[in-house]
Amino acid sequence: MKEELQAIESEALAAVEKAEDSQALQEMKVKYLGKKGSLTTVLRGMGKLSKEERPVIGELANNVRASITEALDAKTEKLEREALDKQLETETIDVTLPGNPIHVGGRHLLTSIMEEIEDLFIGMGYEVKEGPEVETDYYNFEKLNLPKNHPARDMQDTFFITNELLLRTQTSPVQARTMEAYQGNRPIKMICPGKVYRRDTDDATHSHQFRQIEGLVVDKNITLSDLKGTLDVFAKKMFGKDRKIRLRPSFFPFTEPSVEMDVSCKVCNGEGCSVCKQTGWIEILGGGMVHPRVLEMSGYDSTVYSGFAFGMGQERIAMLKYGVNDIRHFYTNDVRFLSQYHQA
């Protein structure tokens, strides 16, 4: 039996050395060490040995098993290493080549403008209010001193859902709702950004939907000079510290007196050019003192309280600040255009 074990060891070690793949090694493991393998078959005859021979043969059998197992493991590791080396050789990567770029998005220019304006007014003590885009005729028009059949409604022709429901033409209804909620006995200092709708023909400067930011301040002893000072701070923050503003008389049904605000042209510094149509000024927004009737309809005593309101289009501010010449660029989702302003 001793000679048989030694013969099995010699045969197994020689076979392992010649093996060329892992499948062959697995077959050898089964052949020599499996339940029906050569070593197991020989060991079944140990019952015929004397008590003195059994320990010697048992130790030898264990050594043979360990020797074959060690050879199998070493050969397996060698074959795996050789396979890896071959794979690395055939799949060589040139680490000096540039990788595939990861395209990272950024804020939309209108979002950046909105956040910049919000941050400015929040720093001045304003609250940010929001309201529904599907609005009632009452809050969108009547509550703002625009009764039914009022001719000024023609300037804000919109999309009606029913006779009383419509897509809001301005964010002013948020102001009306806020004044009504405060029941005429609390000061107000707020801005209301949001999407609005007009039945306009889309072109380079008009869109059937756009974004607007309006502001409202109501308190005791509010004057037109407070409005001018606020808008002056806004203009210098958005367009540069050297910008000047001017207020021109205008008309809005919900303010009296009403004004249009112009800012000095930053291209020609007020000297006159094609951008400002040789005037030196560019129209930015409208505003005025809140009409006493609007205050009264929301429960405010117009003999005690006064206020100012203003409104601007985000797209117009962005176009003037960054030199965008077509409002449609904001909505056509052309990444080539939008990516220019990710750091705005």
Side-chain angles (χ1 to χ4, degrees):
M1 186 173 289
K2 181 177 180 181
E3 288 75 12
E4 287 184 83
L5 290 173
Q6 291 173 342
I8 290 173
E9 181 182 14
S10 298
E11 181 184 338
L13 294 178
V16 169
E17 184 63 29
K18 295 178 181 179
E20 296 181 352
D21 54 52
S22 58
Q23 183 177 352
L25 289 175
Q26 182 62 31
E27 292 173 355
M28 291 174 194
K29 185 175 182 180
V30 173
K31 178 180 179 180
Y32 295 107
L33 303 180
K35 292 182 179 180
K36 297 181 180 180
S38 303
L39 185 60
T40 304
T41 302
V42 172
L43 292 178
R44 285 176 183 155
M46 287 187 65
K48 301 177 182 179
L49 300 176
S50 64
K51 293 181 180 180
E52 292 77 12
E53 291 179 309
R54 287 178 188 172
V56 176
I57 298 300
E59 182 180 0
L60 178 59
N62 288 335
N63 291 337
V64 170
R65 181 183 295 277
S67 177
I68 296 173
T69 300
E70 183 179 350
L72 285 168
D73 291 342
K75 186 67 174 183
T76 299
E77 183 180 351
K78 179 181 179 183
L79 291 177
E80 289 178 349
R81 186 168 59 251
E82 289 175 351
L84 178 60
D85 291 342
K86 185 176 181 181
Q87 181 181 5
L88 292 174
E89 184 179 349
T90 58
E91 298 179 5
T92 302
I93 299 175
D94 185 352
V95 295
T96 64
L97 291 174
N100 295 325
I102 299 175
H103 297 286
V104 179
R107 282 184 173 84
H108 194 284
L109 180 56
L110 294 182
T111 301
S112 298
I113 286 290
M114 180 183 70
E115 292 178 349
E116 186 176 355
I117 295 174
E118 284 182 353
D119 288 346
L120 169 62
F121 281 100
I122 289 172
M124 296 168 66
Y126 286 68
E127 294 181 274
V128 178
K129 300 283 189 179
E130 295 182 341
E133 293 180 22
V134 178
E135 190 53 274
T136 64
D137 184 276
Y138 176 69
Y139 283 107
N140 195 79
F141 291 122
E142 296 179 45
K143 199 78 165 161
L144 300 172
N145 201 30
L146 280 162
K148 294 184 185 299
N149 302 318
H150 193 290
R153 286 196 180 200
D154 292 342
M155 295 186 298
Q156 298 189 27
D157 197 8
T158 187
F159 302 93
F160 278 84
I161 300 169
T162 68
N163 288 336
E164 296 299 324
L165 281 179
L166 51 88
L167 298 181
R168 67 184 182 186
T169 62
Q170 55 203 349
T171 57
S172 301
V174 182
Q175 300 179 18
R177 288 178 177 274
T178 302
M179 286 192 288
E180 184 178 80
Y182 285 9
Q183 300 180 347
N185 54 24
R186 288 177 56 187
I188 299 174
K189 201 172 186 183
M190 59 170 281
I191 58 171
C192 40
K195 207 183 303 179
V196 299
Y197 305 84
R198 305 274 176 91
R199 204 185 69 175
D200 279 335
T201 301
D202 288 7
D203 58 27
T205 57
H206 297 85
S207 174
H208 65 279
Q209 72 168 41
F210 55 97
R211 302 190 67 86
Q212 193 177 55
I213 296 181
E214 296 193 12
L216 173 69
V217 173
V218 176
D219 205 344
K220 298 175 182 178
N221 303 316
I222 298 297
T223 66
L224 189 64
S225 62
D226 296 315
L227 171 62
K228 183 178 181 182
T230 300
L231 297 182
D232 187 55
V233 171
F234 165 77
K236 285 177 167 53
K237 173 65 175 178
M238 295 302 296
F239 301 105
K241 294 181 180 180
D242 56 344
R243 294 303 99 213
K244 298 178 182 179
I245 69 168
R246 73 175 183 181
L247 302 182
R248 293 179 288 104
S250 187
F251 168 77
F252 302 109
F254 33 83
T255 54
E256 179 60 38
S258 302
V259 297
E260 298 273 4
M261 189 192 95
D262 301 332
V263 64
S264 58
C265 178
K266 67 176 182 179
V267 176
C268 64
N269 203 27
E271 295 296 325
C273 65
S274 59
V275 174
C276 60
K277 299 178 182 178
Q278 305 303 324
T279 66
W281 299 93
I282 297 177
E283 180 183 331
I284 295 294
L285 55 82
M289 300 302 294
V290 180
H291 197 292
R293 180 170 171 77
V294 174
L295 292 171
E296 296 287 349
M297 283 192 291
S298 297
Y300 281 86
D301 185 346
S302 62
T303 64
V304 177
Y305 287 93
S306 58
F308 65 75
F310 58 88
M312 68 191 80
Q314 286 178 224
E315 290 86 348
R316 180 160 181 78
I317 300 300
M319 291 172 75
L320 292 173
K321 184 170 183 176
Y322 293 104
V324 179
N325 59 9
D326 195 324
I327 193 174
R328 291 168 292 193
H329 289 323
F330 295 122
Y331 303 115
T332 52
N333 296 324
D334 188 335
V335 176
R336 294 171 301 176
F337 168 77
L338 297 176
S339 61
Q340 298 177 63
Y341 303 100
H342 283 173
Q343 303 301 320

